[in-house]
Amino acid sequence: MDRVSEDEELPEYAERVLSVAERIPPGRVMTYGDVAEWLGEGGPRQVGRVMALYGGSVPWWRVVRADGVLLPGHELRALARYREEGTPLREAARSAEGHVPRIAMALARWDGRGPGDVTPHT
């Protein structure tokens, strides 16, 4: 994940995506598509692009693929965060390459609602 320098101005859409990522509670996740739906604009690819370019300054590991597979190239860093935060995981089968667990999406997925959160786009 790249970091944005303090004096670099973000595009408005990127600011909104990163704001949602910052609201996701520890131990919970949203998919790229969830973030786009919550914002009411863009789609999973646009959210993924924002996270790839600017996500280093927010809890990037909380914005994930819909299938729960950990971000390629960042699996071990993300896995350490998930374990630290208590994010529900599904252990990988022994036959799985690298034996890296997946996120248990049914348990970990956050809908954007909670104390102190703003209402999603409707």
Side-chain angles (χ1 to χ4, degrees):
M1 298 285 117
D2 293 332
R3 294 190 182 269
V4 176
S5 67
E6 301 228 353
D7 57 344
E8 184 178 342
E9 191 170 322
L10 290 174
E12 280 187 45
Y13 183 70
E15 287 183 17
R16 289 191 295 277
V17 168
L18 298 179
S19 178
V20 173
E22 288 176 326
R23 290 186 178 110
I24 303 169
R28 305 298 298 273
V29 299
M30 289 180 91
T31 68
Y32 298 108
D34 291 341
V35 172
E37 184 177 330
W38 198 89
L39 289 171
E41 63 180 306
R45 289 178 188 248
Q46 289 81 8
V47 171
R49 180 78 175 146
V50 167
M51 294 304 295
L53 292 174
Y54 309 111
S57 62
V58 298
W60 54 267
W61 58 93
R62 296 181 192 153
V63 181
V64 301
R65 292 173 37 160
D67 62 5
V69 171
L70 306 191
L71 184 63
H74 300 278
E75 298 95 332
L76 297 181
R77 287 180 38 210
L79 187 56
R81 298 286 189 152
Y82 297 139
R83 287 186 170 146
E84 179 182 305
E85 293 182 356
T87 306
L89 300 170
R90 288 183 19 211
E91 290 303 319
R94 290 201 175 270
S95 61
E97 186 176 332
H99 307 295
V100 177
R102 289 182 180 211
I103 297 165
M105 293 302 293
L107 300 172
R109 200 170 200 169
W110 186 59
D111 65 4
R113 296 186 196 137
D117 288 317
V118 296
T119 305
H121 177 272
T122 51

